[in-house]
Amino acid sequence: AVTGSGAVYGELPRTHSFRVTGSCRLPELPEVETVRRGLRPLEGATMERIIVRKCQLRRRVSVAALHNLAGGVVAPLGRRAKYLLIPMVNGGGMIIHLGMSGRLFMANPGDPLDPHDHLSWWLKQRGATIELRFRDPRRFGSVTVLQQGDLRKHPLLANLGPEPLGNEFTADYAFARSKRSRRPIKNALMDARFVVGIGNIYASEALWRAQINPKTAVCRISRRRWGKLVWAVQDVLDRAVSDGGTTLNDFFGASGDPGYFQTRLRAYGQRGEPCHRCGSMIRRISQAGRATYYCVSCQH
Ligand code: ZN
């Protein structure tokens, strides 16, 4: 299970590959979900060879464990928070985090190797060969291998809160969980024990939609307003996912086109611009070290 030269590529749809550009920003939940959807052609493929060029990522990649996956068949891909799950049919598999600059993509034949292409997986799918590549200039990403068992039971995923797009994240849940806390709502939305996968951009956008001031103490938010906010979170994430993943101008979705969600940003990055709802000016503040954008007039 070594080397990648002389591989034969079959006729696979090229629409699932990624164009990768130089600069990097943090992938959030919609980006990871977009990657998961784009990698669906891997499902049912047989893992043939794995090449590790550099194993020192955020955590050291277990090369021996990785090579033991060879010969296995890929089961349907999953996602939990910002972790991409690549399970194998007979148990075990990989839990991949893109970190700050990671890209997981199916390489096109002849794609030159980048110095930051740390791993390649060669898979066979209906006679065609697919190369899955992990590129990560800053190496904050991680590839965790499980030899057997259910990836979802791994300690990395054990203490995570509910998925924002799942059935557990409801107004009742949020209201019950926040009755005794005075922390600002923006910080709560970004706490993975409360709800996973709501990044900085989406938190500002959801609060703008729900007309809630990001500094509001969570214990002061009524059940009715939680209902509005839960809906806003789900709407903003759904739209980002269906737009092919992103607010990030250097992120390219599965079709190779940049995400268009950025054209709909109403708060994030809009400092000094008029609010689309009331015309007042969008203000930028800092909360827990992160930029927050909101309208002082219509978010309260
Ligand atoms: Zn406004």
Side-chain angles (χ1 to χ4, degrees):
V2 275
T3 76
S5 57
V8 179
Y9 285 86
E11 286 306 309
L12 279 162
R14 296 297 165 217
T15 52
H16 291 289
S17 65
F18 288 77
R19 265 170 46 208
V20 182
T21 56
S23 60
C24 302
R25 289 178 68 182
L26 201 63
E28 296 198 19
L29 183 148
E31 288 77 55
V32 179
E33 179 60 19
T34 300
V35 171
R36 185 187 72 82
R37 294 178 184 191
L39 294 180
R40 274 179 180 159
L42 301 179
E43 295 173 357
T46 304
M47 193 82 81
E48 297 216 307
R49 291 174 299 159
I50 297 123
I51 304 158
V52 182
R53 300 183 190 87
K54 186 161 277 173
C55 56
Q56 194 56 60
L57 303 179
R58 184 192 182 105
R59 279 185 297 275
R60 194 176 178 82
V61 179
S62 169
V63 179
L66 208 48
H67 285 315
N68 281 341
L69 297 179
V73 174
V74 178
L77 307 187
R79 181 189 55 74
R80 180 73 174 101
K82 295 201 288 184
Y83 291 97
L84 179 75
L85 311 181
I86 305 186
M88 307 303 287
V89 167
N90 291 328
M94 298 182 289
I95 301 174
I96 298 180
H97 197 285
L98 300 175
M100 302 185 76
S101 59
R103 297 286 183 267
L104 192 63
F105 61 102
M106 291 189 288
N108 289 315
D111 269 359
L113 210 55
D114 182 276
H116 305 294
D117 288 346
H118 306 308
L119 295 111
S120 289
W121 294 261
W122 297 84
L123 301 103
K124 193 74 107 183
Q125 176 75 292
R126 291 189 286 273
T129 299
I130 308 174
E131 182 196 354
L132 176 67
R133 246 187 237 185
F134 185 66
R135 177 175 299 177
D136 189 2
R138 298 182 67 179
R139 285 192 277 142
F140 281 106
S142 65
V143 177
T144 305
V145 186
L146 251 80
Q147 303 277 14
Q148 55 192 357
D150 184 353
L151 298 185
R152 290 177 184 270
K153 301 213 167 104
H154 192 278
L156 276 176
L157 313 180
N159 296 315
L160 296 175
E163 286 287 325
L165 297 174
N167 298 330
E168 288 172 51
F169 184 55
T170 61
D172 286 336
Y173 162 83
F175 183 59
R177 277 286 303 265
S178 50
K179 275 179 188 163
R180 278 184 291 279
S181 171
R182 295 200 53 79
R183 64 176 169 170
I185 178 61
K186 163 87 173 340
N187 300 0
L189 284 183
M190 294 184 64
D191 176 358
R193 286 162 304 178
F194 178 65
V195 57
V196 300
I198 303 178
N200 202 38
I201 297 170
Y202 300 104
S204 281
E205 289 300 300
L207 288 164
W208 183 87
R209 273 160 210 250
Q211 291 183 252
I212 295 173
N213 185 311
K215 294 183 285 188
T216 309
V218 285
C219 61
R220 300 191 57 187
I221 296 174
S222 66
R223 197 202 158 285
R224 186 189 62 80
R225 296 194 89 198
W226 269 117
K228 203 170 168 186
L229 181 55
V230 166
W231 179 85
V233 162
Q234 294 176 337
D235 186 55
V236 85
L237 291 175
D238 272 337
R239 282 171 193 265
V241 171
S242 62
D243 281 355
T246 203
T247 57
L248 309 184
N249 53 20
D250 60 354
F251 182 90
F252 288 82
S255 62
D257 299 321
Y260 290 107
F261 185 78
Q262 54 189 324
T263 61
R264 293 192 210 151
L265 287 178
R266 292 295 188 242
Y268 189 85
Q270 310 295 305
R271 174 164 61 174
E273 297 293 320
C275 170
H276 277 263
R277 194 164 37 223
C278 73
S280 298
M281 200 181 280
I282 299 289
R283 178 179 292 181
R284 179 190 192 273
I285 58 168
S286 178
Q287 288 183 291
R290 308 293 302 276
T292 301
Y293 296 84
Y294 73 108
C295 172
V296 284
S297 296
C298 67
Q299 286 179 250
H300 36 78

